[in-house]
Amino acid sequence: MGEMMNEGQSAGGNFDLSQFYDIFFEEAGENLDQMEQMLLQLDLEQADDEELNAIFRCAHSIKGGAATFGFADVAELTHQMESLLDKLRRHELQPTPPMVDVLLESSDALRLLLGRHQGRHVDTPATADLVQRISALANGQAAAIPAATAPPAAPPTTAAPEQPAPTAFAAPSPAAVATPAPAAASTAAPRTTTRLAGERELEIHIGPMEHPGQADSIAELFRDISGLGRIEALPCDQIDKRVYRVHTQSSDGDLLDLFTFHVSKEHIQIVDLDALPTEQVEPAAAAAAAPQAAQPIPGEGTDFGFFDDAPGMPAAEPSNASPTSSTEPASALTEAAAPSETATVATESAPVAAVKAATAASATRAEPRAATPASMESSTLRVSVSKVDQLINLVGELVITQAMLAQKSRELDNASTQPLLAGLADLDRNTRDLQEAVMSIRMIPMSVVFNRFPRMLRDLAGKLGKRVELITHGEATELDKGLIEKITDPLTHLIRNSCDHGIEMPQERLAKGKTEHGNITLSASHQGGSILIEVRDDGKGLSREKLLKKAREKGMDAPDTLSDADVWNLILAPGFSTAEVVTDVSGRGVGMDVVKKNIASLGGTVEIDSAEGYGMSVKVQLPLTLAIMDGMSVRVSDEVYILPLSSVIESFQIKADDINTVAQGAQLVKVREEYMPVIELERVFDVPRFEHNASSPIMVVVESDGARVALMVDELLGQQQVVIKNLESNYRKVTNVSGATILGDGKVALILDTSGLVRRSRH
Amino acid sequence: MQSILAVDDSASMRKMVAFTLTGAGFHVVEAVDGQDAFEKAQNHAIDLVLTDQNMPRLDGLGLTRKLREHPKFKSTPILILTTESSDQMKQAGRQAGATGWLVKPFDPGRLIEVIQKVIR
């Protein structure tokens, strides 16, 4: 921390901004998401002011950050977007579909640019075309306002500089410090008057250098980077220097960042010809200073200023102040424009503020550096997922330790241990609360997934010539981050399916008496310990006849007596291409079986419902989290196994003769006039049972993939929450086992993979 | 230690400003927009307000006006960060009661220098 402090204190160019890159990237991503979403929702005929402002702010924010952190290409493109959006929000232009298109494309391009800056190997987007299209849209349709970037800007040809604006200065300081006019500042070459809107005219001085030829690489930059601007070499009488005339929309900082790839910063000088007063000023002191290098600054610069009659300026300037600013208090007192009251308060309140500051200081003086991070107030905190996972892991361990203590404490029962037992009961409760709180950190709202679909649907519907509206419900429903990431692909599949195969063409819909545009509803809600996500469309639905016919062609067993639910489930079977059958759209293997497999691997289920001609619905049920599970512990011989409580249907004791052995030694148990396969866990896991309770075994019925099996166990031990430990990453994959957990007594118990066991019973 | 209220809807800008100012020995209170800033200003001793202009809910000019209406902030220095340095913007800043302006993007060192001109 100490080092960073020193760095912060040293003003100027050696300030390391890279530490803020990650936060900028994340924020830019969020801004792009938000912008995209709002663009898609934008009602072009009646655009809401607040919406337009919000979209503008997104571009504006990204631009500001990109410019600050030196991502010139991002700043450049967002600058163009911002210009267009600024006109939209000022109602100088009416939003049109081509505008939305180009803004969306730009947002894609920005994602790629940002990705490249993050070190990802992605294609470099062609931004030049976008920049051109945006500025054409911004200019072409608004002939009244020629300047693309800053509408209120002075016409480019006038000599009056746009910045600094003289009126805002107490006294304009002649030599603009940010851009020191070098001795060579040439006015020899005539200044051009034809310029693109928002463009600045600069002179770049390179040198003195031993090999001034290096400077030519800078000219190449302008060739290579489209949209950067134009450059021309100017005659220069000093052989160790080069002078260029540049027309660009990029900021000095951006240019400097680019140039320093080829020439060191000390050798670059950027002179803003627009900022120079019309009469040539005395050359500024240092010839070698970089534009933004630390220098004593006078009252104002091109990049900042104080209002001469403004409240808040110090009452008296200390000795090192420039003469111009020391006149400010006087003017503040005499200026009629300012209410005299304000000025008086200004002088009086200075000591008050000082006292306040002193109190604050004395409170924190003892450890000022340690105190500062805590003072950075914000309602949210960004933390890396690995830290959260570590926390969850530790809480998991704590839960186990707590369970061990609880188990041990059951053996104690005399009066002297009462306080201990009470303490343990508290520990139990607190541990549970802690676990819940920690788990909730990983929970993120479904909107993260939902938000990507409007754009996808818009593109897809456009391609297919369909009109589709996406309605979402329950975006605030929270789900474990791990699950959110894994549910995205299956949901994308389902929504694509609905749009591609479910929703009819507009004419067809109108002919059927439906609305021209199809509706796809995406909803999420909590149901007990799980989350229910539904994708519903009002398209053509599934055809029972076609599905049955197709199933028979595939050689599947599909009698006419199959229930509707079973018929719909046919599309989940591997290799069952629904595309040809249901919608006659060929060439798209939709892979519903993959969707089902992915969701099953998350411990979820898929349920399909449909009405031919009216649409279909796919319901996906998922557990809330992958890290903790409600389990039922059972004993087989000396081993304890955990069954996921969600798959346990019932348990009962039977008589030995209720079990029938059929062909190949397979066993069946008759439960309420229904036969069910029996799995003896002792055989599956090869654990010999010593006290075989042959006369009345205990059966636990579990269900998976719509099929049920009865597991034969020795004892039901109880229900408990278990922390799932991945077996694959700690050991290797074991058939019929989905993971492991540590029990209260410290022993490891295997968590059974019920779907694996059900599959086993089928073979 | 003097307190600066740093207002920006962009977290990266806010962090950068906070880091810069903390490094220069200031105490920094962060706010995510004008409204948030106005609320935080009530509960902290603030020696200077540094605010972005373009923000949701309440922008920089709006915040400035609101603070100036409050006796506690009649003379607190308020600097507006803006990407526009147009006369119009400056005029608006002056009318709202701002103390001064600083053009974005700015160099962190520059920020400290400008702030130190107003408070010491």
Side-chain angles (χ1 to χ4, degrees), chain A residues 9 27 165 297 303 305 311 349 361, chain B residues 1 10-12 23 87 99 103 110:
Chain A
Q9 275 159 345
E27 181 181 85
I297 43 177
D303 56 351
S349 73
Chain B
M1 194 186 278
S10 155
S12 55
D87 283 354
T99 309
V103 174
R110 184 68 151 185

Side-chain angles (χ1 to χ4, degrees), chain A residues 603-620:
Chain A
T605 57
V606 182
E607 194 186 315
I608 299 168
D609 199 3
S610 175
E612 193 174 358
Y614 294 97
M616 75 181 273
S617 124
V618 181
K619 286 182 185 155
V620 175

Side-chain angles (χ1 to χ4, degrees), chain A residues 397-435:
Chain A
E397 300 293 336
L398 182 65
V399 168
I400 291 165
T401 313
Q402 185 273 325
M404 280 160 90
L405 288 172
Q407 187 153 334
K408 288 276 172 222
S409 71
R410 280 186 211 116
E411 295 155 16
L412 314 165
D413 55 355
N414 65 54
S416 64
T417 59
Q418 275 311 312
L420 178 64
L421 291 177
L424 283 171
D426 280 350
L427 179 66
D428 178 37
R429 199 181 53 246
N430 291 337
T431 312
R432 225 159 276 281
D433 290 351
L434 177 65
Q435 188 182 31

Side-chain angles (χ1 to χ4, degrees), chain A residues 610-633:
Chain A
S610 175
E612 193 174 358
Y614 294 97
M616 75 181 273
S617 124
V618 181
K619 286 182 185 155
V620 175
Q621 193 150 18
L622 287 172
L624 280 182
T625 171
L626 292 174
I628 290 181
M629 181 189 77
D630 278 318
M632 176 186 250
S633 42

Side-chain angles (χ1 to χ4, degrees), chain A residues 47-291:
Chain A
D48 180 53
D49 271 10
E50 192 35 55
E51 252 170 34
L52 288 171
N53 267 322
I55 298 174
F56 170 84
R57 262 198 309 274
C58 291
H60 180 80
S61 261
I62 300 173
K63 179 187 127 177
T68 302
F69 300 120
F71 303 114
D73 46 4
V74 176
E76 159 87 27
L77 184 53
T78 42
H79 176 68
Q80 295 295 336
M81 295 164 79
E82 189 198 54
S83 308
L84 176 59
L85 288 165
D86 189 42
K87 290 194 174 177
L88 293 179
R89 73 178 180 143
R90 287 168 194 262
H91 300 288
E92 287 166 18
L93 285 177
Q94 192 60 32
T96 62
M99 289 183 191
V100 174
D101 286 343
V102 77
L103 288 169
L104 285 173
E105 279 175 52
S106 303
S107 118
D108 290 343
L110 285 173
R111 276 182 215 280
L112 290 177
L113 289 176
L114 290 166
R116 285 188 70 84
H117 287 303
Q118 280 168 282
R120 274 190 243 128
H121 297 283
V122 289
D123 295 341
T124 315
T127 52
D129 167 58
L130 288 169
V131 166
Q132 238 166 33
R133 279 165 60 200
I134 299 173
S135 74
L137 284 168
N139 291 323
Q141 292 164 32
I145 309 111
T149 47
T157 44
T158 58
E162 185 197 329
Q163 57 171 346
T167 53
F169 288 124
S173 59
V177 172
T179 55
S186 74
T187 41
R191 284 172 61 175
T192 45
T193 48
T194 47
R195 276 197 248 172
L196 292 179
E199 225 174 46
R200 301 184 305 139
E201 192 174 6
L202 307 171
E203 245 178 53
I204 315 278
H205 296 255
I206 311 287
M209 297 196 304
E210 222 175 299
H211 305 288
Q214 273 176 283
D216 295 335
S217 321
I218 287 180
E220 280 167 28
L221 282 174
F222 284 79
R223 263 211 315 276
D224 296 344
I225 305 175
S226 49
L228 187 60
R230 290 165 288 149
I231 189 166
E232 55 178 311
L234 296 179
C236 175
D237 45 12
Q238 287 158 283
I239 51 159
D240 56 348
K241 287 186 179 174
R242 290 279 188 277
V243 182
Y244 299 95
R245 164 80 37 84
V246 167
H247 290 89
T248 184
Q249 294 174 335
S250 304
S251 71
D252 287 1
D254 292 346
L255 291 175
L256 208 59
D257 284 344
L258 281 172
F259 295 168
T260 44
F261 280 116
H262 301 288
V263 180
S264 69
K265 215 169 181 172
E266 307 83 69
H267 294 136
I268 307 170
Q269 277 181 7
I270 301 176
V271 184
D272 191 341
L273 297 179
D274 300 331
L276 287 178
T278 37
E279 283 169 47
Q280 192 62 39
V281 292
E282 195 85 343

Side-chain angles (χ1 to χ4, degrees), chain A residues 449 452 484-494 595 598:
Chain A
V449 184
R452 66 173 58 205
I484 289 253
E485 281 160 5
K486 288 178 181 143
I487 193 66
T488 309
D489 281 351
L491 279 184
T492 309
H493 242 91
L494 292 175
V595 170
N598 287 347

